[in-house]
Amino acid sequence: MPGWVLRLLDGCDLGRLAGWQRGGMGVLEDVRYEGVDLRPWGKFDRATRMVYSLLFHLIDVGAVAGVLWDRFLTPSQREVISTGLSMSQERARSLVSFLAAMHDIGKLIPYFQSLEPAAQMRLGEDLLADTGRVVEVPHARASMHAGLHLLGELGFELGGNDSPAVRAAQCLGGHHGRFLQLDVDGAASAHRVQATFGGPVWQDLRRRYTLLLWHLFGVYEAPGRVSVEAAVLITGLTMVADRVASQRRYWVPNAHTPSFGAAEHHSHARRQAEEEVERLGLARFPLDRVPFATAHPGLVEPNALQASVMEELPHLVAGRGSGIAVVTDAMGAGKSVTALEMARIFNEHCGTQGVMWLLPSTAAADQAFEVLDRYVRAHRPEYAPVTLVHHHSDLNEAYTQRRLSPEDTSVLDGPPDDPFVDDQDSLFADDERECGPGAAGPDRWLRGRDNALLAQYTVSTTDQAQMAALPVRHSALRMLALSGKTVVVDEAHALDPFSQLQLLRLLNWLGALNSPVVLLSATMPASTTTELVRAYLSGAGRTGLHSVSFAPGYPGWLFADAATATAHRMSEPAQDRQRAAQRRTARIRIRPVTYRRLGQADRSIEAGERLAVIADALQPVIRDGGCAAVVCATVADAQETYAYLRRIWTGPPHDLVLVHSRVGERRRQNTLEDLRRELGPDGPRPARRVFVTTSLLDMSLDIDVDLMVSDLASLARLLQRLGRLDRFARRRTGKDLRPTWWDRDNSPTLTVLHPVNSRGETALPPGWGTVEPPVTLHETARVLPDLEKEPLVVPDDVQALVEQVHGVTSGFAAETTRLRQMAAAHQTRTSRLQQLSALHLVPPPKRVSSLADLHRQYLTTAQAATRPGVLPRRLLPCYRSPDGTLTLDAAGLLPLPDQEHLSARHLRSILEHTLPVPAAWVTRASARHQPPASWKQHPLLADTLLLPTDMTTRESEQCFGQHWLRMDEQLGLLHRKQQ
């Protein structure tokens, strides 16, 4: 016997192995040259007509899965899988590799093999003669149906939905993204399989392939159980392995130089898999311990809260294991650094590796990416892929300067969502031209699609993670990507009831998967904190928590371990030190205003109007310099405020800045970057700057201003905005960067504009109630006069104020009949949003019987809402020349690209000019608003509509039914609705 066969069988029970006989041919013979039929195809390249053996593809995927087990899965994930299979980790690895290899056993059926006549011609006469009636069955479903009985023959117990054979078969069927229902007595019954998947020759070859894989990957016994959590992670791992091995650049060279037999190919496949997993950046890498100041550039030593975490948390986690932590602290006090230190501690003691940092907005995610990327690189790893995942992360130049292609899309912008399409077989012809990792991060494969979530260090918008708790395609892959890391949920209070319910379900799953979680917030009510912590602990199997509070104190941190659900809090002396170190005062000044739209640009503004009061409050800056922010309730208010201020502005035009979401992506990003650079902790700080913005300020700008004016908002938002006043005072000791009128002794001041009617009562303008609940705005308006009497002390006063307005004990709504009605309407809306959200949620792990419960609904990523309302559409302002040519620029020099294959430069130029708009605004789009037909085939451009401006008349206002839209070069997109 050749040496390579002996090495293959080293440690195996040769007597038992030789005893496996099927059709007169044993496994020992099948692994040899010409031992088993290799002609059935698994991959076919239409361009070159290259055919790749199905068996070799199965071996490839199993080998990649084994390497991913060793190099990609974390110890905590391996523990979840092995416990869920009731096996040792060594045996679990073998079984997982085998199941991954079996994912495409359903391709060994007459229907699939007939899909490519050129490849079908390779089949032997015995298979062709035994085809029988060809029945159309997608190969993922065929893998599940055929695999069920093949697994049963190997000792998998076949019973109900939770039996090992059924769950393992559903893992095979789920490798294309959706778990399918398995009808044991119907379509998956033995006689139906025999009738639809070929005759005895086909059945015998499937059995021989199965036995060959069983022994190539060293499996000796079937599992006693397959838990839901293990099944989800195994399926996610299979998806990754299949994607890796399905790259053309991976399998085409093997097809050119095929191996002599299965055993030889298995030996080659293991080496190739190790190289590819390393090349793609999927291998986990450790970060060396470095001093605090090195890990966090710009900081000399930890503050009191961070020092408390670094001193107290390690022994708690070492003794109790994984769990959920909560950090509450004042705005700008360093919660991000605290989260990274917590993640380091969890990863050191819980078997996890890496960070998944979730934020509520793309602007906030862009900023956090820079923080996380800087943190990772401060440890000087040899290769450190840090990814950014949201709708248009490709436009972030700090993240990537690479080419864009259709597969380079995020979770929410994925390819066509057909669960039976083998999209891995038809990847684009240039896949072999992968480029290696650059200085900015990972290579194209790890950036593309939802692969970017797999990176060890990832920043993402929260909605991308919420998709793991929705019945969408590839949710198992997303759950695999989330588990095994420390998941940081930043601004955890910022989600509405619709999204909050999805976060609760996600936390429940993370608890079941033993993944540590860190929640961050500056203004989170104790009731919300407790609800989030309970959801996680419930997933971890803890019960009886309804009467337990998990409020951490303010400022402070809390750690609730998953093993016992015990709450461990920051020590009181450390809390006192943090409170004293961060203590500062600020004033809130209330200005009653009459709300009137600007209307005509030259309309005279009367005293007491909102615009007049804003101009009056800004006089110190206009007259003597300084930096100020005007935060408006809506984009329309921001546009009119800027238009009025520009009318009275006497300084240089560039000192007055407008930033909101209804401008092109590139303009918005450039403006935000300029503000962060100039007004950030290390910025040059201009002599004068006033910027007008919206709620973008609340979560995306780490800046310091001298003066702030804000429309009425909820108290939580006002406190967030207050955190931008005198934010970096302690970092700039000895630097006199304040204007001459600045007086720290009298405290920085936030002026809040309170819209009132003629009787002095709160009168919310139209549209404001859609931004935040009206009852919350009314309650804030009632509380604010008391805050005006005395300076606000931060952080001491923050939590009590948050509870007063946002907590469950607030009694304000019961004061008047009108407010009771308003509160009831808010509660009704909240309940309705929760019900809508619950309609699509996957069940908690403990309530899953059949894995198909996770995909009972056919929900595509485009249909899956992670927040109430319809997903926005993309609008592209452009220009139409007299001859009808469309261009991106007013000069007519950049024609709108219209070709089948768009270059990276073209894609980027298009996307940089687009902006999001509510779908309701453009539902009545006409033919003139439709993009070139070629764009409809591109996932990044498929939902784009055009807003053309006539080059001759410069008229851009377009009618979309009742909605009229016009693009103004300075103000951005203007919207009006015809009544």
Side-chain angles (χ1 to χ4, degrees):
M1 184 177 296
W4 55 267
V5 175
L6 291 174
R7 288 195 299 273
L8 167 72
L9 301 176
D10 183 33
C12 295
D13 185 340
L14 296 181
R16 180 172 178 265
L17 186 61
W20 285 87
Q21 299 289 326
R22 291 295 184 272
M25 183 70 72
V27 177
L28 281 175
E29 289 77 16
D30 280 350
V31 299
R32 295 172 172 155
Y33 175 58
E34 294 185 343
V36 71
D37 190 352
L38 300 176
R39 288 173 291 183
W41 65 278
K43 294 290 178 187
F44 180 77
D45 180 34
R46 291 183 179 90
T48 63
R49 305 184 74 78
M50 181 62 64
V51 178
Y52 190 49
S53 165
L54 171 61
L55 180 59
F56 285 180
H57 173 63
L58 301 183
I59 293 173
D60 287 345
V61 174
V64 173
V67 175
L68 289 174
W69 175 283
D70 298 331
R71 308 293 304 279
F72 172 75
L73 288 188
T74 64
S76 68
Q77 289 174 310
R78 293 195 287 265
E79 179 64 25
V80 168
I81 294 175
S82 61
T83 300
L85 298 175
S86 296
M87 286 182 161
S88 68
Q89 290 198 17
E90 181 181 2
R91 294 197 169 187
R93 180 193 187 278
S94 299
L95 183 66
V96 168
S97 300
F98 164 74
L99 290 176
M102 285 285 289
H103 76 292
D104 269 354
I105 195 67
K107 287 184 175 180
L108 192 50
I109 62 173
Y111 169 68
F112 181 87
Q113 292 296 314
S114 68
L115 293 178
E116 291 292 347
Q120 185 186 25
M121 293 173 57
R122 292 169 26 110
L123 298 181
E125 293 183 2
D126 54 345
L127 286 175
L128 292 172
D130 195 40
T131 296
R133 183 169 63 96
V134 177
V135 179
E136 181 177 344
V137 181
H139 79 266
R141 187 175 293 275
S143 292
M144 180 175 67
H145 289 173
L148 177 69
H149 303 285
L150 294 169
L151 294 173
E153 293 178 5
L154 293 172
F156 286 71
E157 180 187 349
L158 176 56
N161 286 331
D162 60 350
S163 64
V166 171
R167 288 229 169 121
Q170 285 183 304
C171 290
L172 307 186
H175 79 271
H176 272 288
R178 297 185 188 275
F179 289 113
L180 309 172
Q181 183 58 47
L182 198 156
D183 185 358
V184 175
D185 299 319
S189 62
H191 75 276
R192 287 282 292 274
V193 169
Q194 293 170 7
T196 56
F197 292 170
V201 178
W202 290 86
Q203 296 170 35
D204 179 69
L205 191 56
R206 286 195 297 270
R207 186 174 291 113
R208 288 171 65 185
Y209 273 23
T210 300
L211 293 173
L212 187 57
L213 296 172
W214 179 262
H215 291 289
L216 280 175
F217 292 105
V219 190
Y220 291 98
E221 61 178 343
R225 62 188 285 261
V226 178
S227 71
V228 173
E229 296 87 346
V232 168
L233 295 186
I234 290 170
T235 306
L237 190 74
T238 301
M239 293 177 193
V240 180
D242 191 26
R243 289 185 180 188
V244 171
S246 294
Q247 299 171 98
R248 290 185 70 259
R249 57 168 304 283
Y250 191 90
W251 66 264
V252 167
N254 294 338
H256 280 294
T257 56
S259 302
F260 289 107
E264 182 189 12
H265 185 76
H266 178 247
S267 179
H268 165 74
R270 287 183 296 179
R271 294 192 301 271
Q272 185 181 17
E274 290 175 356
E275 294 172 0
E276 189 66 10
V277 168
E278 186 74 30
R279 190 192 75 83
L280 293 177
L282 290 172
R284 302 285 178 175
F285 57 89
L287 294 184
D288 296 333
R289 290 293 299 271
V290 298
F292 179 87
T294 303
H296 308 284
L299 299 181
V300 177
E301 60 183 10
N303 63 29
L305 191 148
Q306 294 157 359
S308 171
V309 166
M310 296 166 67
E311 293 167 7
E312 301 176 43
L313 188 60
H315 78 270
L316 291 174
V317 177
R320 303 290 187 123
S322 183
I324 183 169
V326 184
V327 179
T328 59
D329 202 357
M331 299 66 68
K335 292 186 293 297
S336 297
V337 172
T338 305
L340 291 173
E341 287 300 312
M342 282 186 159
R344 175 185 60 78
I345 293 167
F346 280 130
N347 292 340
E348 286 179 357
H349 298 285
C350 299
T352 51
Q353 294 173 306
V355 172
M356 176 72 75
W357 195 346
L358 308 179
L359 297 108
S361 70
T362 58
D366 286 341
Q367 182 166 319
F369 168 75
E370 297 177 15
V371 174
L372 184 60
D373 187 63
R374 186 165 57 246
Y375 170 80
V376 172
R377 296 185 188 284
H379 292 76
R380 299 189 180 279
E382 183 176 341
Y383 173 50
V386 181
T387 58
L388 174 65
V389 186
H390 59 66
H391 286 288
H392 289 283
S393 55
D394 289 307
L395 297 181
N396 185 319
E397 292 184 357
Y399 175 50
T400 175
Q401 281 288 0
R402 64 191 177 87
R403 71 184 198 84
L404 298 174
S405 60
E407 69 270 34
D408 295 336
T409 51
S410 68
V411 172
L412 293 182
D413 299 309
D417 208 341
D418 183 342
F420 302 132
V421 171
D422 187 5
D423 57 340
Q424 296 302 323
D425 289 343
S426 57
L427 288 178
F428 300 89
D430 59 357
D431 272 356
E432 71 272 15
R433 296 202 303 269
E434 299 279 345
C435 51
D443 70 5
R444 197 183 105 204
W445 190 92
L446 196 54
R447 293 182 193 271
R449 297 200 205 151
D450 39 351
N451 294 348
L453 291 169
L454 299 170
Q456 186 169 335
Y457 289 89
T458 301
V459 174
S460 168
T461 46
T462 309
D463 54 6
Q464 303 281 0
Q466 288 169 218
M467 300 293 275
L470 296 175
V472 298
R473 193 178 181 198
H474 298 134
S475 57
L477 184 144
R478 295 169 190 127
M479 201 64 78
L480 174 77
L482 284 163
S483 64
K485 306 173 187 173
T486 297
V487 179
V488 178
V489 185
D490 208 343
E491 306 288 353
H493 65 279
L495 301 178
D496 55 52
F498 186 96
S499 303
Q500 192 86 357
L501 196 62
Q502 295 179 353
L503 177 60
L504 289 170
R505 185 58 48 84
L506 177 62
L507 290 175
N508 187 276
W509 272 86
L510 291 174
L513 293 168
N514 207 31
S515 297
V517 172
V518 180
L519 305 176
L520 304 179
S521 179
T523 54
M524 187 155 61
S527 56
T528 302
T529 304
T530 297
E531 188 178 23
L532 294 172
V533 173
R534 285 176 184 167
Y536 177 92
L537 296 175
S538 174
R542 309 285 72 81
T543 58
L545 304 176
H546 296 292
S547 60
V548 182
S549 172
F550 292 98
Y554 194 94
W557 60 267
L558 171 143
F559 168 60
D561 64 88
T564 67
T566 303
H568 312 272
R569 290 177 172 84
M570 179 181 181
S571 65
E572 289 188 12
Q575 265 189 310
D576 291 339
R577 289 194 297 272
Q578 176 69 3
R579 196 175 291 119
Q582 299 293 335
R583 186 172 289 124
R584 63 190 181 94
T585 60
R587 289 189 179 275
I588 293 182
R589 183 172 60 161
I590 316 302
R591 296 289 299 271
V593 298
T594 302
Y595 180 90
R596 284 186 62 189
R597 299 296 299 270
L598 177 61
Q600 297 297 324
D602 58 352
R603 179 178 73 83
S604 61
I605 305 300
E606 300 176 2
E609 280 193 48
R610 172 182 172 276
L611 294 174
V613 174
I614 291 175
D616 180 64
L618 291 175
Q619 281 306 308
V621 176
I622 295 174
R623 185 178 59 248
D624 300 317
C627 300
V630 181
V631 192
C632 304
T634 67
V635 172
D637 291 325
Q639 290 169 327
E640 292 200 347
T641 301
Y642 176 80
Y644 175 68
L645 291 177
R646 190 178 60 189
R647 192 171 94 189
I648 66 172
W649 193 256
T650 58
H654 64 265
D655 282 349
L656 181 63
V657 179
L658 174 66
V659 55
H660 57 74
S661 60
R662 287 189 209 147
V663 294
E665 292 279 354
R666 174 51 52 210
R667 174 180 164 184
R668 181 181 62 84
Q669 283 200 15
N670 286 343
T671 306
L672 289 174
E673 288 171 7
D674 288 344
L675 288 173
R676 283 199 294 261
R677 177 177 52 81
E678 294 176 343
L679 304 179
D682 303 313
R685 200 162 186 84
R688 178 189 288 107
R689 186 76 81 245
V690 173
F691 70 94
V692 182
T693 187
T694 61
S695 57
L696 277 176
L697 178 77
D698 300 342
M699 292 173 287
S700 60
L701 290 177
D702 185 22
I703 60 172
D704 178 320
V705 296
D706 307 313
L707 183 149
M708 185 180 295
V709 182
S710 171
D711 279 328
L712 178 66
S714 67
L715 191 60
R717 286 200 177 191
L718 292 178
L719 291 171
Q720 289 279 352
R721 293 168 189 178
L722 193 67
R724 271 76 181 181
L725 276 169
D726 198 21
R727 186 181 184 97
F728 304 133
R730 288 176 177 79
R731 301 193 204 179
R732 291 175 170 157
T733 304
K735 296 181 181 179
D736 185 13
L737 299 176
R738 301 295 177 185
T740 56
W741 54 266
W742 174 262
D743 183 2
R744 181 170 283 108
D745 293 337
N746 287 324
S747 305
T749 301
L750 168 63
T751 299
V752 179
L753 308 178
H754 178 202
V756 296
N757 57 24
S758 59
R759 297 185 300 275
E761 299 169 339
T762 302
L764 299 182
W768 284 25
T770 62
V771 179
E772 292 190 279
V775 66
T776 304
L777 297 178
H778 277 269
E779 186 162 0
T780 300
R782 184 192 70 96
V783 169
L784 287 177
D786 292 335
L787 299 181
E788 195 171 22
K789 298 174 182 177
E790 296 289 339
L792 179 68
V793 181
V794 179
D796 305 60
D797 298 338
V798 171
Q799 191 64 36
L801 290 172
V802 170
E803 299 296 339
Q804 187 175 353
V805 174
H806 300 274
V808 294
T809 59
S810 174
F812 166 65
E815 289 192 1
T816 68
T817 301
R818 178 167 174 264
L819 291 173
R820 282 198 298 271
Q821 293 172 346
M822 199 177 294
H826 171 58
Q827 186 59 43
T828 300
R829 181 176 183 274
T830 297
S831 178
R832 180 169 57 84
L833 289 177
Q834 290 174 336
Q835 290 172 3
L836 287 172
S837 181
L839 284 176
H840 295 312
L841 282 177
V842 301
K846 67 177 72 172
R847 284 175 38 204
V848 174
S849 175
S850 167
L851 292 177
D853 293 343
L854 299 176
H855 289 103
R856 287 293 178 196
Q857 304 172 73
Y858 185 83
L859 197 65
T860 69
T861 51
Q863 297 165 337
T866 54
R867 61 193 67 184
V870 182
L871 290 175
R873 297 291 299 272
R874 306 297 301 185
L875 195 67
L876 176 66
C878 55
Y879 298 86
R880 189 186 303 276
S881 67
D883 64 359
T885 302
L886 291 171
T887 64
L888 289 170
D889 64 322
L893 302 177
L894 300 173
L896 233 63
D898 183 9
Q899 55 211 54
E900 184 178 357
H901 299 293
L902 296 171
S903 69
R905 180 173 56 83
H906 286 148
L907 276 172
R908 193 178 299 279
S909 65
I910 294 170
L911 292 172
E912 286 176 348
H913 286 79
T914 63
L915 58 125
V917 296
W921 289 7
V922 292
T923 52
R924 302 285 296 276
S926 63
R928 68 183 310 214
H929 303 123
Q930 299 304 318
S934 61
W935 293 15
K936 294 295 184 182
Q937 308 306 314
H938 200 295
L940 288 170
L941 303 176
D943 70 339
T944 304
L945 293 172
L946 305 182
L947 182 67
T949 295
D950 189 282
M951 283 187 182
T952 304
T953 64
R954 293 295 176 176
E955 177 56 45
S956 67
E957 189 166 46
Q958 304 286 322
C959 175
F960 294 80
Q962 290 183 308
H963 299 274
W964 290 78
L965 303 177
R966 179 169 67 87
M967 195 66 187
D968 184 277
E969 292 185 2
Q970 289 186 314
L971 301 180
L973 184 70
L974 300 175
H975 166 259
R976 65 183 177 92
K977 185 177 181 181
Q978 185 175 7
Q979 300 300 324

